[in-house]
């Protein structure tokens, strides 16, 4: 019960800082909230990435809530105090890393892609270590929440989030950045890993 409540509190903090507060800062700086919506037509991979992300976030909230209410039980071999403590540490780290990476992105921060928009290719700070540090931090946060309340819905939410982040990056984000920045983005892909430093470096075609 206590861990489920803690997970819900951390989820609220993540939502407030990662979406609400950051959107407010973006609006004050640029006049735009940074939200670009879901890309692609219904049924397309781009659309599935956007919808899957929303489904994963909702399921991530529902999982600890159902566990708190007694409708779901933790998976036995993952239900240990040291695992829940590690999950809490990961979730807090993920929140801090998400906010830090969002601030490093500056005015180029947005949720979703507008193909008609030209944003600056950010390569400084944490973006010099990985190309998608916000998504990396979100996976760390989600993994932490999953370990805090390791039930079947939480695990499913984590799998969906991981899959949709891969889709969003490969099908939406990378093609947009390639078409917008061309050789500069190709060079960036060669030098910097996708989600983990040194991993996923390649020449985009």
């Amino acid at each position: 019960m206590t861990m489920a409540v803690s997970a819900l509190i951390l989820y609220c903090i993540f939502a407030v800082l990662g979406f609400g507060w950051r959107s407010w800062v973006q609006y004050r700086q640029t006049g735009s909230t940074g939200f670009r919506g879901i890309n692609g037509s219904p049924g397309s991979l781009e659309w599935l990435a956007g919808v899957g992300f929303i489904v994963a976030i909702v399921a991530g909230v529902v999982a600890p809530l159902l566990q708190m209410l007694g409708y779901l039980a933790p998976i036995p071999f993952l239900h240990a105090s040291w695992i829940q403590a590690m999950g809490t540490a990961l979730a807090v780290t993920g929140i801090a890393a998400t906010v830090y990476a969002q601030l490093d992105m500056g005015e180029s921060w947005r949720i979703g892609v507008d193909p008609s928009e030209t944003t600056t290719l950010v390569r400084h700070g944490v973006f010099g270590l990985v190309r998608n540090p916000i998504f990396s931090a979100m996976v760390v946060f989600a993994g932490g929440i999953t370990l805090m309340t390791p039930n079947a819905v939480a695990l499913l939410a984590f799998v969906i989030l991981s899959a949709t982040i891969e889709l969003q990056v490969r099908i939406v984000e990378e093609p947009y950045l390639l078409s917008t920045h061309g050789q500069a983005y190709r060079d960036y892909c060669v030098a910097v890993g996708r989600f983990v430093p040194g991993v996923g470096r390649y020449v985009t075609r």
Side-chain angles (χ1 to χ4, degrees):
M1 174 73 76
T2 301
M3 197 54 61
V5 172
S6 298
L8 287 171
I9 291 172
L10 288 176
Y11 232 115
C12 288
I13 293 172
F14 176 79
V16 169
L17 294 179
F19 294 102
W21 174 78
R22 186 60 186 85
S23 182
W24 175 76
V25 170
Q26 187 74 1
Y27 182 78
R28 290 198 63 182
Q29 291 177 343
T30 68
S32 168
T33 61
F35 285 87
R36 299 293 181 263
I38 297 173
N39 294 93
S41 56
S44 67
L45 288 177
E46 295 91 340
W47 182 83
L48 287 174
V51 171
F53 184 82
I54 295 171
V55 169
I57 294 296
V58 172
V61 174
V62 168
L65 180 62
L66 291 179
Q67 185 168 311
M68 181 181 70
L69 295 175
Y71 293 107
L72 285 176
I75 296 171
F77 74 90
L78 292 175
H79 190 48
S81 58
W82 70 268
I83 292 178
Q84 274 72 76
M86 182 174 65
T88 303
L90 285 173
V92 171
T93 299
I95 292 172
T98 298
V99 173
Y100 185 87
Q102 287 178 333
L103 291 174
D104 257 6
M105 199 169 186
E107 293 186 358
S108 292
W109 179 82
R110 75 280 185 280
I111 297 176
V113 168
D114 179 354
S116 65
E117 181 182 34
T118 300
T119 57
T120 301
L121 179 60
V122 180
R123 300 186 61 171
H124 64 268
V126 70
F127 286 85
L129 299 175
V130 290
R131 302 199 303 271
N132 301 280
I134 295 173
F135 284 135
S136 298
M138 289 182 67
V139 170
V140 170
F141 167 76
I145 292 293
T146 301
L147 292 178
M148 290 176 72
T149 54
N151 57 58
V153 173
L155 290 174
L156 179 61
F158 181 75
V159 170
I160 294 173
L161 179 67
S162 299
T164 53
I165 283 177
E166 284 280 355
L167 271 181
Q168 178 70 19
V169 168
R170 293 173 183 266
I171 304 299
V172 179
E173 303 274 346
E174 290 183 349
Y176 161 76
L177 291 168
L178 177 60
S179 65
T180 302
H181 299 287
Q183 189 59 46
Y185 185 65
R186 289 187 178 93
D187 294 341
Y188 184 39
C189 289
V190 171
V192 179
R194 182 181 280 118
F195 297 112
V196 178
V199 178
R201 295 183 295 178
Y202 70 106
V203 177
T204 309
R205 294 180 174 84

